[in-house]
Amino acid sequence: MDNEKNKQLFFSLVATFHATAMQQMGKIKNPITDSIERNLEEAQMSIDILDMIDAKTKGNLDEDEARLLKSVLQDLKINYVDEVAKEQSNTQTKQ
């Protein structure tokens, strides 16, 4: 496979996990069900998979690939912390 195709596939993979995690956090609609669905455990798993990809590819990504992965991971982790805080706040309010 040529390098440019691999780069496009890598970007697609990262984008897929980003969109999936955002759906799992309830940030965007699931396009299949057309509804907001929330499962923070699944979202954490998607983030963990991207963290694993980051660790396993360290030193093997070009600058654009590394920047994209870092940016996506930061975005997902910030949103995840936000959603966990919302869940904790809702739990405390109900008590």
Side-chain angles (χ1 to χ4, degrees):
M1 243 183 226
D2 70 12
N3 202 30
E4 190 58 35
K5 183 173 183 179
N6 281 340
K7 187 173 188 168
Q8 290 174 357
L9 290 170
F10 182 80
F11 282 9
S12 180
L13 176 70
V14 172
T16 298
F17 274 102
H18 183 257
T20 299
M22 293 298 273
Q23 288 173 26
Q24 292 162 334
M25 287 186 274
K27 297 284 190 178
I28 58 177
K29 282 184 178 182
N30 179 328
I32 295 170
T33 63
D34 196 37
S35 63
I36 297 292
E37 299 167 3
R38 203 158 177 267
N39 186 324
L40 293 180
E41 288 179 21
E42 288 181 6
Q44 182 62 63
M45 178 64 81
S46 294
I47 295 167
D48 288 346
I49 290 170
L50 284 173
D51 268 331
M52 179 272 305
I53 290 170
D54 184 40
K56 293 286 189 177
T57 60
K58 193 77 62 194
N60 290 314
L61 300 177
D62 70 23
E63 190 176 312
D64 292 335
E65 293 164 337
R67 187 178 26 241
L68 172 70
L69 187 53
K70 180 180 179 183
S71 174
V72 165
L73 278 166
Q74 286 176 332
D75 179 51
L76 290 176
K77 289 176 180 181
I78 288 169
N79 278 286
Y80 181 81
V81 168
D82 181 51
E83 289 304 312
V84 169
K86 284 181 191 176
E87 188 171 88
Q88 290 172 347
S89 177
N90 288 340
T91 302
Q92 291 173 354
T93 304
K94 291 178 183 177
Q95 293 177 351

